[in-house]
Each structure stands twice: as C-alpha cells, then as structure tokens.
Amino acid sequence: MTSSAPSVVSARNLCLTYETNDGPVHALSNVDLDVRKGDFVSFIGPSGCGKTTFLRVIADLERKTSGDITVNGMTPEEARTNRAYGYVFQAAALYPWRTIEKNIALPLEIMGYAKSDQAKRIEQTLDLVNLTGFAHKYPWQLSGGMQQRASIARALAFDADLLLMDEPFGALDEIVRDHLNEALLKLWKRTNKTICFVTHSIPEAVYLSTKIVVMSPRPGRVTDVIESTLPHERPLGIRETPEFLEIAHRVRDGLRAGHSYEE
Ligand code: ADP
Ligand code: MG
C-alpha cells in the first residue's frame, strides 16, 4: 500500500527460461517488482507474456533460472512450507464429488487442522464470500460465479496473507464479473490480504488494483508499473470518472508499446 509496508514479494532480475524441444522459451526476463503488504497488484498483458509463470514462481510451482525472488522475506520454497499463500485458478477446480464445505475443508485436512477448527474456518470463509447456506450443496448445484466464490473461500480458509489469483473471473459473463469484482474489493478491505491478480481486462485491473503491472511477451518483461491514484472506496460508477479513464489509457498505452507486431 505504502512504500514503507513490509515486502511480500520482491523480485530482482528474475529470469525464467523453459527448455523445450523447440529450444528455450524466455518466459520471464529481468523482472524487477515489489509487492508490499496490503497491495492489490494486477498483472496484465497478452497471452504468453509470463503472468501465470510469475505466479507459479511465487508459489514455488516453477523455479527461477536466475535472479532473486523472496516471498515474505523467504525463498518461495520456505514460504510454501509456511503456507504463505492461497491459490485461485481460472476454473474453480472444485471436486464434483465433494460438497462445498468438503471442498473448502480439503486443504485444512491436508494441513492437519482439528475438526472443530475446520468447521469454524469453513463457516467464517463461507460468510466472507457470501455463501452461507450453501455448505452442503455440490459444486454443480451452484452458478459459475458462486463456484468461483467457493474456490476463493477455499484459498482463504487457512489464513494465508497472500492470495494468488490467476484470471479467476475470466470465464464469467460481465454482469457476474462486476459483482465479483465488487465483492473481492470488499473482502480485500475486510481481510487486509495482499493480492496478486492476473487478468486480461483493463477495466478489471484498474477497478481492483493499488498497483498495475503491465507486461509484454517474448521475452516476458514488465513494461510499466502504475500506482493507482483512485481512492480505496470504489463504487462501480468510478469506472466512468476521468481519473479512472486516465489510468485505463495508460495501461492501454503500455500494452501497445510492449506489443511486438513482427508475428
Ligand atoms: P501467460 O499466463 O501470460 O499467458 P505463461 O506464463 O503461461 O503466460 O507462459 C509464458 C510463456 O512460457 C509462453 O510462451 C508459454 O508457451 C511458455 N510456457 C509456459 N509454461 C511452459 C512449460 N511448462 N514448458 C514450456 N513452455 C512453457
Ligand atoms: Mg496464464
């Protein structure tokens, strides 16, 4: 939020190259970035620019090729063992044979939380995402937006300070997405989480973020980092204000500047 808040993710000269049969793919090239406690950071850029790769490096699901990255001041591996983050995928990825409650319980079971603690956490997170009363439903009995909320609840259930969200609302229609954007902002304010959020949508990035990271492909680089000047209180109507449109314009410029037209 402020430059004095503790660092949650810090990347310096971060590079990641995938070795493939067709040769190396430079997914991330010299990425420098600081995410601070309480930040809502959006990553925006064309498909293939390394957004998912960056989240996966934070989560210790991929290893850097060179450079430095810390998560809560630790290596990603240490942070993972300390349960530093919750991960929300593009598809809700709920198990169809488990009820909503049992889906949320899954990471808690794996982490060995006591049954009574599990029940308390499930109740609290269902309330946070406004799904109280749906605990005993199966995923297919819920709408797409509700399923995605359940998957956010699952990521919140074990109290990680950091939420990694990879295009969580990308597959939803615009009305549902608007609604979830509002809900997510409220939840972020209530819980004081730090959020890294990948999106393709300029309005979504501008509406949600304290900081917008614009990326370009081949090799994946950060081309602009925009600190939002919007107030924290954001009714949906803020999207018509000149201040909002100005930030959106700068994001669009950044995307255009970073785009290669050689293909
Ligand atoms: P984004 O999420 O921005 O669409 P990704 O991080 O998924 O981009 O991918 C960045 C680049 O790395 C792309 O060119 C993609 O094809 C490549 N890539 C991603 N994962 C792998 C992998 N496991 N092996 C080889 N190449 C990969
Ligand atoms: Mg991706």
Side-chain angles (χ1 to χ4, degrees), residues 90-92 94 139-151 168-169 171-173 176 180:
Q90 176 157 11
L94 300 166
W140 49 268
Q141 295 176 297
L142 271 55
S143 70
M146 290 163 92
Q147 289 180 26
Q148 206 46 284
R149 265 154 47 208
S151 116
F169 310 141
L172 303 172
D173 68 60
V176 174
L180 289 183

Side-chain angles (χ1 to χ4, degrees), residues 8-179:
V8 176
V9 178
S10 172
R12 292 289 172 273
N13 276 318
L14 183 73
C15 299
L16 189 145
T17 303
Y18 293 107
E19 297 300 339
T20 73
N21 291 337
D22 300 328
V25 175
H26 301 288
L28 296 171
S29 172
N30 295 101
V31 171
D32 285 316
L33 190 71
D34 284 298
V35 177
R36 296 190 178 276
K37 189 162 172 44
D39 267 344
F40 195 124
V41 181
S42 285
F43 297 83
I44 189 163
S47 178
C49 72
K51 304 179 297 293
T52 295
T53 299
F54 189 64
L55 288 199
R56 289 177 59 84
V57 174
I58 297 172
D60 195 39
L61 299 170
E62 299 289 348
R63 291 282 160 87
K64 67 180 185 185
T65 306
S66 63
D68 290 303
I69 177 148
T70 60
V71 181
N72 289 338
M74 300 174 261
T75 65
E77 187 182 6
E78 288 164 344
R80 177 171 50 76
T81 16
N82 277 282
R83 303 167 189 167
Y85 63 84
Y87 208 119
V88 182
F89 300 92
Q90 176 157 11
L94 300 166
Y95 290 107
W97 59 87
R98 282 185 165 236
T99 60
I100 296 306
E101 166 184 84
K102 292 288 178 202
N103 266 285
I104 298 174
L106 190 60
L108 303 174
E109 289 169 9
I110 292 168
M111 290 171 187
Y113 284 85
K115 276 270 179 273
S116 57
D117 196 13
Q118 288 185 24
K120 200 177 76 208
R121 283 163 185 273
I122 291 165
E123 192 188 321
Q124 283 169 351
T125 46
L126 280 175
D127 177 49
L128 268 176
V129 299
N130 241 324
L131 281 180
T132 303
F134 293 87
H136 304 297
K137 301 278 186 204
Y138 286 89
W140 49 268
Q141 295 176 297
L142 271 55
S143 70
M146 290 163 92
Q147 289 180 26
Q148 206 46 284
R149 265 154 47 208
S151 116
I152 292 170
R154 181 179 52 189
L156 289 171
F158 51 95
D159 257 351
D161 286 336
L162 174 61
L163 262 191
L164 305 173
M165 307 181 79
D166 195 351
E167 301 193 46
F169 310 141
L172 303 172
D173 68 60
E174 209 165 311
I175 296 162
V176 174
R177 184 193 277 229
D178 277 0
H179 178 67

